[in-house]
Amino acid sequence: MARQCLGVLFSHPADFTPVCTTELGTVAKFKTEFDKRNVKVIALSVDPLSDHKNWIKDIEETQETTVNFPIIADENKNVASLYDMIHPNSLEKATVRSVFVIGPDKKIKLTLTYPASTGRNFYELIRVIDSLQLTANHQLATPANWEKGDDVVISPAVSDEDAANRFPGFRKVKPYLRLTKAPETK
Ligand code: BEZ
């Protein structure tokens, strides 16, 4: 099954800050992982384009990578306001660490908000993307701490009879807890 195309929009509080520098460097290094999954990534802060351009040089120098994705310079806060990225009880001039995964239907599939003091776990983002793409075309879901290759859960909306046809050999632990091997995603 071909992977569904997804977009990731993520905001960082401000350019020239230490945690954000490591985050944007990490996203650049994850490019092949995003490409493999048919995912397009775009970053955002409310800093001007000239700051982005200068900061990119620092990211590339300190994180030993090439920034290979666009960064929105949302100086007038149009996007930040639409996506509620400016927390009313936080700095008015800084976006929080938001992440949105957006589907081909332009609907938001995931939102995450991290505190300014915590750099994001991009392995977790990849894990959720794998789960979203796996479950997009099947009535399946992924259990707690699921990793690629682990068994998946059959939706309660699928009858046992239907499950036997669609997921031969599925395991019925409880009437509402049925497990099966994950289908292949390319
Ligand atoms: C940082 O990216 O390092 C950072 C940004 C805002 C507040 C605290 C840390």
Side-chain angles (χ1 to χ4, degrees):
M1 176 81 49
R3 283 177 181 263
Q4 177 190 59
C5 179
L6 295 171
V8 172
L9 166 66
F10 73 104
S11 56
H12 59 276
D15 293 1
F16 303 105
T17 51
V19 177
C20 301
T21 301
T22 63
E23 287 191 321
L24 270 72
T26 300
V27 171
K29 288 177 191 164
F30 272 46
K31 166 105 174 118
T32 52
E33 295 304 316
F34 289 121
D35 284 352
K36 263 197 285 191
R37 290 168 174 81
N38 205 11
V39 173
K40 303 264 183 282
V41 178
I42 190 160
L44 175 146
S45 77
V46 294
D47 299 290
L49 187 60
S50 54
D51 279 5
H52 284 353
K53 284 184 173 162
N54 283 324
W55 184 41
I56 282 171
K57 291 180 211 152
D58 288 357
I59 298 170
E60 294 187 339
E61 178 198 324
T62 62
Q63 307 304 304
E64 298 177 338
T65 188
T66 302
V67 174
N68 43 29
F69 55 89
I71 309 174
I72 299 169
D74 189 29
E75 261 190 285
N76 54 16
K77 302 181 196 156
N78 278 346
V79 184
S81 304
L82 279 172
Y83 279 81
D84 259 345
M85 289 166 166
I86 310 237
H87 194 285
N89 299 331
S90 187
L91 286 178
E92 208 185 285
K93 275 184 64 164
T95 40
V96 292
R97 284 186 212 287
S98 299
V99 185
F100 297 93
V101 177
I102 301 163
D105 54 2
K106 299 201 169 59
K107 292 196 172 144
I108 292 173
K109 307 296 175 189
L110 164 104
T111 61
L112 288 171
T113 307
Y114 279 57
S117 51
T118 307
R120 282 161 282 201
N121 184 335
F122 290 96
Y123 292 106
E124 169 61 3
L125 183 58
I126 292 286
R127 192 187 76 88
V128 179
I129 286 166
D130 283 340
S131 168
L132 283 170
Q133 290 178 327
L134 188 147
T135 57
N137 300 308
H138 306 275
Q139 284 175 293
L140 296 171
T142 56
N145 290 343
W146 174 84
E147 294 287 350
K148 213 166 164 214
D150 291 351
D151 283 355
V152 296
V153 162
I154 300 170
S155 162
V158 180
S159 67
D160 277 354
E161 195 186 10
D162 201 7
N165 287 327
R166 291 165 60 189
F167 312 111
F170 79 89
R171 280 188 299 126
K172 189 169 171 178
V173 182
K174 290 280 177 193
Y176 57 84
L177 176 56
R178 297 165 302 169
L179 298 165
T180 187
K181 293 246 163 297
E184 288 275 311
T185 41
K186 298 219 174 82

